[in-house]
Every structure is written in C-alpha cells, then in structure tokens.
Amino acid sequence: MKYFNFIIVLIIFSVLGLSSCKKEETVTTKTSGDVGLDIEHVWGSAEEEFILNKEYTHPLTNDKMTFTIFRYYVSNLRLKSTDGTWFTQPDSYYIVDLGTDETFLSIPEVPGGEYTDIEVTFGVDSLHNVSGAQTGALAPSNSMFWSWNSGYIMLKAEGISPNSLTGNFIFHLGGFMGENKVQTTKTYNFGTTPLVIDGNREAEIHLVANPAKLWHSADNLATKSSMTIPGVIAKTMSSTFYNGIKFDHIHN
Amino acid sequence: MSTSIKQGLGLLFMIVILGSCQDIQDEASFDLSYPAYFPEPHYQFGKNKLTKDGFELGKSLFYDPIVSRDSTISCSSCHFQGHAFADHNSTLSTGIDGLKGVRNSPAMFNLAWNTSFMWDGGINHIEVMPVAPITNHVEMDETMAKLVAKLRSNAKYNAYFKQVFGNNTEVDDQQILFVLAQFMSLLVSDNSRYDQFRKGLVEFDEEENAGYLIFKKYCTQCHAEPLFTDFSFRNNGLEFKNDDFGRQKVPLLDDDFMKFKVPSLRNVEMTYPYMHDGRFRTLKMVLDHYSTSLVPHENLDPSLKNAGQIGIPLSENDKEKLLVFLKTLNDYTFISNPLFGE
C-alpha cells in the first residue's frame, strides 16, 4: 500500500503540474494591448458637433429636429494585420449611445502587431438574432429588442420636431434577414501608417458618423415621422447612415 | 503489476465511475424525457444548463406576479395548469389594469418541440418568448431592466439565482430567460389515453377507433401525430375579424393573409375556446366550421379543399366519433402533475 500511495501522489502532482504549465504558456505569449474605437458624431455637410437635446435643421428636408435618443449597434469588430491575417474580437457587441456618451468603444487584448484595416458590422449579425437569450449589449433589457417579432432594433433615433404632425419622431430600424436586412459590414483602411499595438501606447481608431444621413433618401417628417418595423424604409434609412460612416484618423 | 497497484487503480476507477454516475443520475431525473415515438426536440438547451434548481427557479418566476409592473399578473394568471396552461376558458385574457389582449392565450406543453411561438410565429426562440408578455403593455407592462433590478434587490431571488448560476454572478436577462425556458421545456404532455394506446397499455374502444380513423383521414395533414401539429401556418377559412391579419402583418415573416399557427390538439377539450381569437366555444363549433362554414379565402389551405369542394366532408355521425377520439388526447397526469404546479 505504500507504493500505491506514492503512485497516487505522483499522478496527482503530475496532473497538477501539467495543467499549470499550460496556463503559463498562454499568458506570456504576446504583448497585447487595448484598441479604442472612437465614433465622432457630426450633423449635416457643415459637420457641426452632433449632440442630443439640441435643435438642428436637416440640410435636405429642412426639418427642425431635436434628438432625445440616438443609439445603434456595432458588432463583430475585426482588425487586419500587415501580414494579411485577421484578429477577430470574440463576443464583440456594443451599443453606441449618445445619451450616455458611449461613443468610445474599447477592444481589449488585441495581439501585439501592426494593423492596416478595421472591419465593423453596423447592426447585429443574423445568428445572434435567432439564438435565444443573450447577455451584455445584447440583453433585451437594453430596450433594443423587438419582443413580438424576435430581433434586434439595430438603430433607435427619437426626438421632437415642429415639422412632424405628432410633434415627435420615432425611428426604430431593424430586420436581420431577407432582402431588407439592415446589418451592414464595412472595412476601413488606415492609409499609409499602420496601427501599432505593443502594449506601451494608446492605439485609437477614429470614425465619423453623420445622423443627418438617415434622411438622405427618406421622406420628410411631415410625411413620415415614425417607422418601427423592418422593411424597405428601415433598409434605406439605415444604409444611407451606415454607408456615410467614414474613417477619419488613427493615433498610435 | 503488483496487487496493491491493481487495487489502487481499481479504487481510482471506481471513484471516477461513481462520480460520473452521480452526475448522470441527478441530470437524468431532470432531463427532458419523452416517449420513443416523439421526434427529437427542437430546443436543445445549448448554453442553458438544465438543472433541478434551475427548473424550480423558473417555476417560481412563472407563478410569481413580481414579473409584472405592479405585481398583479403572473404567467400563471393566463396559463393555468388545470387547463393545460391555457387561460381559464377566457376568450381573450385580462392583463394589467384590466386590459384585454387581442389573441386567445395558447396552452403550454411540449414547447421544446415548437419551432416558433405565438399564433403568428413572430417569436423565433423559446428563450426570448417570455420577453413578449412581460413587456407587452396590456399584459405585464414591465421592462426587462426593471425586472432585473427587482430580482437583484429581492433577497429570496438574489440567493436563488446565485444558487443556480454561481455566487460570482448577478441576475441578468439571460439568467431569467434561461430558467423560464427550463420550466417551459419540461412541460411535457405524453400520458393521454392516446399515449397509453401508443405505448400498448390500453386498447381504443370501437368509437375511439372509428374517430381515430376519421382523424387520420382528414386531420393529420396539419395536426400531425404524435404532437398533433406540424407547426405550420395556414389560412383555415375563418371570417376576417378585428383587423387581425395574422402572419401577414409580421414584417420579417411577411406571409399570406390570415395565416395562423396550427395548434396542437393535445388536451384540446380543456383549452376552449378555440382559434386565435377564441371565437368558438365548443369543439362541435370547430368541426361545424371545417365541414360547412369555411370562408373561401383565395389562400385557403389546400387541405381544406376536396375535388373542387370547400370543406371537410364530415357527417354528424363522423363528428360525434371525432369528438370521442379527441377526448383521448386529454392528459390528466399532465394537468395534475405536482412537478408543474404552484
């Protein structure tokens, strides 16, 4: 029995030893760092600073608009390395919310290296619209989820306007499948200088979004001040907005 | 190998085996069990780990009015076990502040086999189903955010959720929806007289058999055995009422005019009134509808047309026999099972 005890102890130690070795290995590989994705919001062709609770005039419809809510989903962030491979952020879901100033998104633990492009999905991929109860940015408690026709509200823009017959405007844009699916994936190239991540600096990517673009191919508020279901209007409005989001600069 | 080493290894193996047996046993009693003639369930739980504690917590929430804005309405207010979790025979259910909904509360059983939820199938997953009644302004009128906050500050639930999901977790939407899905999924109705017949435990009598034959001839195209629905959506020739377009008005589905889900006929006798708006009080009225009163909508389901004739050719005698057969679908074990009761 002495031998037996000895062998058992040996087995236990070797198992413990093996598993602890493994852990160390993964921790010390690369100098990873956080990347900030800052989305600045501007209004109209003059690109004045866009904030909630301030009246703007739309350059095309001439509607006077004061936004009280402006929120939208950004997901599935990926970074392209100079060697051509992609880093895909796991579980990558964010709500950009002008009400809480959540316009600076942090991408943690990006592996060290040099990157040339970022890929961004505006909206939520179709898989996560059909996969049941989610957490974090995808939790229904964020009020960005349609309960009666399952799916995420990809973008919410609400406010007041003297041009609307009701005095208000409410746009809840979404729809994740079929020809009117809203989610749009875009890639932005950083130009000549790559984004460097070596754990010693703040790497930031700056994009510019222009909420006025929602109404670039849409009716004015006197004609339509509300849209809260998926369909061709949600598709048109969201795509003019998403396609208007442009790359500005990076910081290393 | 020396004897002591052999003994030692034997002991080790026994520990491993005993340990796993324990797990299997605990889970077995709380697995989703169903008869061999049922198909594979649609819902596979995935990340939602089914446990007895999780199920019990889901049951507590199901019976607790805390889920509504003013703590007056629970899920069980409109889904009563004695009626196979349909409402108490109300045409339309009464929600918060005495407000009425627009559709008849469906019965709840064998939900793990459902491919979609609600009369129009607008909900695509069992886990997100409860968000609809909880947040609907004429049902419970609560927000998920406030419900999460209420449960976090409730000592009983706070401890209960930690018991299920671990001490280092906080109640969130997903935890709430996971445990409700566990409770709902385990509501299996599989012990009706029809089931005992399928299991070879009883024989149908002459009338039941005659009714079963008529049923198989005219009804199983939609109410497919053994779940008594094929989960499809069809226009079944109802008169258009109350601006209810059914599935046509669900944007992502964008289906045909007045298509509604084929409901299961299990426990059908105790879930009256019938149809998406509860317009028929009795099963006889339903059978009369299908035999003589169909509205010939352009997209009337083809199964309701026979050689140019609209309607199912049922004699009064056929209907009587069908009604006898339909009673064999009552599952009295299910409606009295204390595992599902308050």
Side-chain angles (χ1 to χ4, degrees):
Chain A
M1 283 308 263
K2 263 185 189 169
Y3 275 115
F4 161 62
N5 286 342
F6 178 64
I7 284 166
I8 295 288
V9 169
L10 242 174
I11 289 171
I12 289 171
F13 268 95
S14 55
V15 168
L16 284 176
L18 278 173
S19 58
S20 57
C21 275
K22 240 182 198 167
K23 271 178 201 158
E24 274 169 37
E25 221 172 25
T26 51
V27 173
T28 55
T29 41
K30 281 178 182 173
T31 337
S32 59
D34 295 356
V35 172
L37 174 62
D38 189 18
I39 307 182
E40 191 191 340
H41 293 79
V42 298
W43 181 260
S45 48
E47 302 204 341
E48 61 179 304
E49 184 197 13
F50 176 80
I51 53 171
L52 298 185
N53 305 310
K54 179 183 170 186
E55 189 177 83
Y56 297 94
T57 303
H58 195 277
L60 295 179
T61 65
N62 289 316
D63 286 329
K64 293 194 185 321
M65 309 176 82
T66 304
F67 289 76
T68 52
I69 291 177
F70 198 81
R71 320 172 81 199
Y72 56 95
Y73 273 107
V74 167
S75 71
N76 295 288
L77 301 179
R78 301 174 77 212
L79 286 163
K80 189 182 184 183
S81 168
T82 43
D83 66 14
T85 59
W86 286 88
F87 163 73
T88 303
Q89 187 197 4
D91 200 25
S92 176
Y93 297 94
Y94 300 89
I95 294 173
V96 175
D97 187 351
L98 272 76
T100 54
D101 282 334
E102 281 170 48
T103 59
F104 188 89
L105 316 178
S106 179
I107 315 169
E109 291 171 35
V110 178
E114 297 193 346
Y115 296 89
T116 58
D117 298 76
I118 185 166
E119 184 184 283
V120 182
T121 297
F122 296 103
V124 176
D125 52 278
S126 60
L127 179 67
H128 280 80
N129 279 272
V130 298
S131 303
Q134 308 293 321
T135 54
L138 295 179
S141 52
N142 294 307
S143 295
M144 295 287 278
F145 185 76
W146 277 309
S147 63
W148 52 280
N149 185 193
S150 306
Y152 287 95
I153 299 171
M154 313 268 191
L155 186 150
K156 258 190 187 183
E158 297 183 16
I160 53 175
S161 169
N163 304 97
S164 157
L165 299 176
T166 60
N168 304 310
F169 60 90
I170 300 170
F171 290 87
H172 294 177
L173 310 180
F176 61 88
M177 61 185 189
E179 58 184 12
N180 291 322
K181 74 172 187 185
V182 157
Q183 70 271 28
T184 302
T185 300
K186 292 184 71 72
T187 307
Y188 301 98
N189 183 269
F190 305 146
T192 46
T193 317
L195 185 78
V196 180
I197 295 157
D198 59 11
N200 291 322
R201 59 185 92 207
E202 296 282 311
E204 283 182 21
I205 303 161
H206 289 256
L207 303 179
V208 178
N210 193 330
K213 300 223 177 202
L214 282 165
W215 288 272
H216 268 220
S217 301
D219 289 328
N220 63 20
L221 295 180
T223 311
K224 186 163 282 300
S225 62
S226 153
M227 177 46 61
T228 55
I229 56 170
V232 67
I233 294 174
K235 170 69 183 170
T236 307
M237 292 183 71
S238 58
S239 51
T240 52
F241 172 67
Y242 293 151
N243 290 326
I245 299 176
K246 56 188 186 186
F247 172 72
D248 202 65
H249 64 279
I250 55 168
H251 289 300
N252 275 316
Chain B
M1 235 189 251
S2 79
T3 330
S4 61
I5 293 175
K6 274 186 196 160
Q7 280 173 348
L9 284 177
L11 201 76
L12 245 179
F13 273 109
M14 267 174 68
I15 290 168
V16 169
I17 288 165
L18 276 174
S20 56
C21 270
Q22 195 70 47
D23 284 349
I24 289 164
Q25 225 169 28
D26 278 347
E27 274 164 27
S29 56
F30 256 85
D31 214 351
L32 178 63
S33 59
Y34 51 89
Y37 52 86
F38 272 32
E40 278 279 298
H42 178 73
Y43 181 50
Q44 295 288 333
F45 293 92
K47 279 189 261 178
N48 186 8
K49 192 174 177 298
L50 179 61
T51 61
K52 182 166 180 359
D53 281 344
F55 166 87
E56 291 291 342
L57 175 50
K59 182 164 97 173
S60 289
L61 285 177
F62 182 85
Y63 284 104
D64 195 331
I66 194 170
V67 291
S68 62
R69 187 193 72 218
D70 60 358
S71 291
T72 56
I73 309 281
S74 70
C75 306
S76 63
S77 300
C78 304
H79 296 284
F80 174 62
Q81 186 184 12
H83 293 291
F85 293 99
D87 204 348
H88 305 71
N89 306 127
S90 312
T91 306
L92 302 173
S93 300
T94 306
I96 204 156
D97 301 329
L99 294 166
K100 292 268 185 199
V102 294
R103 301 248 173 92
N104 179 253
S105 295
M108 291 173 60
F109 51 80
N110 302 343
L111 298 175
W113 283 265
N114 276 31
T115 49
S116 64
F117 296 85
M118 301 297 182
W119 280 103
D120 54 26
I123 297 176
N124 64 24
H125 200 290
I126 191 170
E127 288 168 10
V128 294
M129 205 292 305
V131 181
I134 291 169
T135 58
N136 189 305
H137 299 310
V138 302
E139 295 182 46
M140 293 166 172
D141 195 32
E142 186 54 289
T143 67
M144 288 304 292
K146 282 190 198 148
L147 178 57
V148 168
K150 278 198 283 190
L151 295 176
R152 280 185 184 180
S153 62
N154 178 300
K156 178 189 118 184
Y157 279 114
N158 200 32
Y160 212 157
F161 272 95
K162 282 185 175 18
Q163 187 183 325
V164 173
F165 293 100
N167 275 325
N168 51 355
T169 66
E170 282 274 23
V171 183
D172 67 5
D173 310 43
Q174 191 183 54
Q175 293 187 356
I176 295 167
L177 297 172
F178 272 4
V179 295
L180 283 170
Q182 292 192 21
F183 175 71
M184 291 189 292
S185 301
L186 261 66
L187 297 175
V188 175
S189 175
D190 63 357
N191 199 31
S192 64
R193 186 165 161 76
Y194 164 85
D195 292 295
Q196 288 164 5
F197 165 79
R198 287 290 300 258
K199 291 168 193 166
L201 300 173
V202 297
E203 296 269 319
F204 275 166
D205 66 25
E206 206 177 307
E207 278 214 299
E208 289 168 337
N209 250 327
Y212 188 28
L213 287 175
I214 297 165
F215 186 84
K216 284 202 275 196
K217 187 169 178 192
Y218 294 118
C219 311
T220 49
Q221 293 93 323
C222 309
H223 298 286
E225 296 176 67
L227 297 169
F228 291 88
T229 169
D230 64 354
F231 304 107
S232 65
F233 296 85
R234 299 168 189 254
N235 180 318
N236 64 337
L238 293 168
E239 189 192 335
F240 181 59
K241 273 188 188 172
N242 303 322
D243 275 345
D244 196 339
F245 291 82
R247 209 165 154 82
Q248 192 180 30
K249 285 283 166 157
V250 185
L252 284 175
L253 308 176
D254 197 21
D255 210 330
D256 281 348
F257 175 64
M258 277 191 85
K259 277 195 182 175
F260 293 96
K261 178 187 277 174
V262 174
S264 171
L265 297 183
R266 286 176 169 272
N267 303 302
V268 71
E269 192 188 25
M270 41 207 171
T271 63
Y272 69 88
Y274 305 108
M275 303 296 148
H276 64 276
D277 54 4
R279 67 178 68 189
F280 299 137
R281 289 302 289 177
T282 65
L283 281 172
K284 177 67 167 51
M285 289 168 78
V286 175
L287 295 180
D288 289 344
H289 164 75
Y290 283 120
S291 67
T292 56
S293 309
L294 290 177
V295 178
H297 298 304
E298 213 170 289
N299 63 329
L300 178 70
D301 197 73
S303 65
L304 297 173
K305 296 175 197 164
N306 243 320
Q309 287 290 97
I310 282 174
I312 303 174
L314 295 172
S315 68
E316 289 306 300
N317 188 263
D318 289 342
K319 290 177 193 173
E320 272 169 38
K321 285 172 180 154
L322 268 178
L323 291 174
V324 171
F325 170 70
L326 290 174
K327 283 183 202 288
T328 72
L329 302 179
N330 289 343
D331 183 349
Y332 298 105
T333 314
F334 177 68
I335 64 165
S336 58
N337 188 343
L339 184 64
F340 307 137
E342 191 163 4

